[in-house]
Amino acid sequence: PRAVYKAKMKGSVRPSVVDNLFAGSGSFHETQRNTFDTLIVDEGHRLNEKSGLYQNLGENQIAELIRSARCTVFFVDDDQIVTLSDIGHSAEIERWANAEGAAVTRLGLSSQFRCNGSDGYLAWLDDALGLRETANRGLQPQDYDFQVFDSPVELHEAIRQCNAESNRARVVAGYCWDWASKKDPAAFDIVIPQHDFARRWNLGSDGSLWIMAPHSVEEVGCIHTCQGLEVDTIGVIIGPDLVARGGRLVTVPEARSRQDKSIRGWKTMMRSDREATAERLDRIIRNTYRTLMTRGMKSCYVHCTDDETREYFRGRLAVHP
């Protein structure tokens, strides 16, 4: 988001003003106590423990942000914790605040503009993804435009048509395919042979401005390039790391790309604490798709590479209260 804000504000304010407004969470490990009056920490759930390129600086980003300001405001969504290194759970932030002797105030956002402002869609999605049980077993068409596509080719074409209106539609996917085009620009990454579908990840050519580049509609984004940003219509390819079996969704961490850093080291962690690691992996995969499926302000179109999973989501749409 910082790069997008800076690009949008270019020409209206000096670049240095924007740079001073927005800083990364890893830049406060040497800041003196109460240097700032107020720090606003967006995407607080994505905080890491250590800072620096090699994750070897500082003590704990949560503690450092609390110490650096008289008032630190964390915007947190525990359902958007999507990597094993994310430590910004609301309970963890409160624990550090108490340790620092800070007064804690919890506020809930009673409404939101995301997903057409539809709390019904968010509740339905939470229930469908197995994050929490809600009363929203079915989704009413007037709540939100959610469609299931049999083919990724059809999905991508629908997104392309939506994008023609205002350059505000993109395709994203779970990180279940290797980034082959990183070393070979002519190679394709997301390849689904049975549908004659082949696309490239957008992980390098446009950097943080992927969501604004007009040509990037032909590519596929992932959790690392779209979290914190929205478009009008999002197309989501649900890969083999989330599949429906026996009427419920199960997660398959083995189906993630080996290049995906978000769960790097999980096999080693399983050997030391299998139950806790399995629980964290399960939540990360479900959270990842919840985040991807809430990037669309007006609509979300999905294709599931697994047939049973595709029918699961289609069946959930058919449920009426």
Side-chain angles (χ1 to χ4, degrees), residues 13-151:
V13 296
R14 295 192 309 274
S16 61
V17 173
V18 181
D19 289 338
N20 289 328
L21 276 175
F22 304 107
S25 59
S27 57
F28 297 89
H29 56 89
E30 294 183 337
T31 303
Q32 296 297 311
R33 186 177 292 273
N34 294 335
T35 296
F36 302 94
D37 289 325
T38 303
L39 284 177
I40 298 176
V41 185
D42 196 17
E43 304 285 331
H45 39 271
R46 295 301 316 277
L47 292 171
N48 296 153
E49 182 179 16
K50 302 288 186 178
S51 301
L53 181 63
Y54 300 105
Q55 299 287 291
N56 62 345
L57 300 178
E59 174 194 0
N60 181 287
Q61 287 186 1
I62 298 173
E64 291 154 6
L65 287 161
I66 293 171
R67 293 169 188 161
S68 296
R70 292 180 172 85
C71 175
T72 309
V73 182
F74 295 90
F75 283 88
V76 177
D77 182 351
D78 293 338
D79 293 330
Q80 289 198 52
I81 292 175
V82 295
T83 82
L84 287 172
S85 60
D86 293 349
I87 67 165
H89 192 282
S90 53
E92 185 69 3
I93 292 173
E94 189 162 353
R95 185 179 74 83
W96 277 103
N98 290 332
E100 292 295 322
V104 178
T105 301
R106 277 179 172 259
L107 299 173
L109 294 178
S110 57
S111 62
Q112 46 84 38
F113 295 103
R114 183 174 292 155
C115 304
N116 205 29
S118 174
D119 293 330
Y121 171 66
L122 295 178
W124 173 83
L125 186 60
D126 286 347
D127 192 273
L129 288 175
L131 287 167
R132 62 185 55 82
E133 188 174 340
T134 73
N136 297 67
R137 296 289 298 169
L139 180 67
Q140 299 301 306
Q142 65 269 22
D143 285 343
Y144 188 68
D145 179 19
F146 184 90
Q147 298 181 37
V148 180
F149 286 73
D150 288 324
S151 161

Side-chain angles (χ1 to χ4, degrees), residues 192-261:
I192 307 176
Q194 62 269 36
H195 293 286
D196 195 25
F197 181 83
R199 295 291 188 278
R200 295 183 180 92
W201 285 120
N202 188 294
L203 292 172
S205 58
D206 300 303
S208 300
L209 298 180
W210 161 78
I211 210 157
M212 297 173 59
H215 65 272
S216 68
V217 69
E218 300 299 334
E219 298 167 325
V220 177
C222 67
I223 189 65
H224 307 303
T225 54
C226 73
Q227 190 168 23
L229 299 169
E230 285 84 30
V231 290
D232 286 343
T233 302
I234 195 73
V236 182
I237 299 174
I238 299 177
D241 58 339
L242 183 71
V243 297
R245 295 294 182 264
R248 67 184 188 91
L249 291 177
V250 295
T251 55
V252 187
E254 297 89 342
R256 281 283 184 99
S257 166
R258 293 171 296 174
Q259 298 175 339
D260 182 17
K261 295 180 181 180

Side-chain angles (χ1 to χ4, degrees), residues 266-290:
W266 70 273
K267 291 183 179 179
T268 301
M269 294 173 64
M270 287 284 277
R271 288 195 290 269
S272 59
D273 192 342
R274 186 175 187 85
E275 185 175 345
T277 302
E279 185 176 333
R280 289 182 66 188
L281 289 169
D282 180 80
R283 189 59 185 252
I284 283 171
I285 292 173
R286 295 177 195 269
N287 282 357
T288 296
Y289 282 110
R290 185 188 191 274

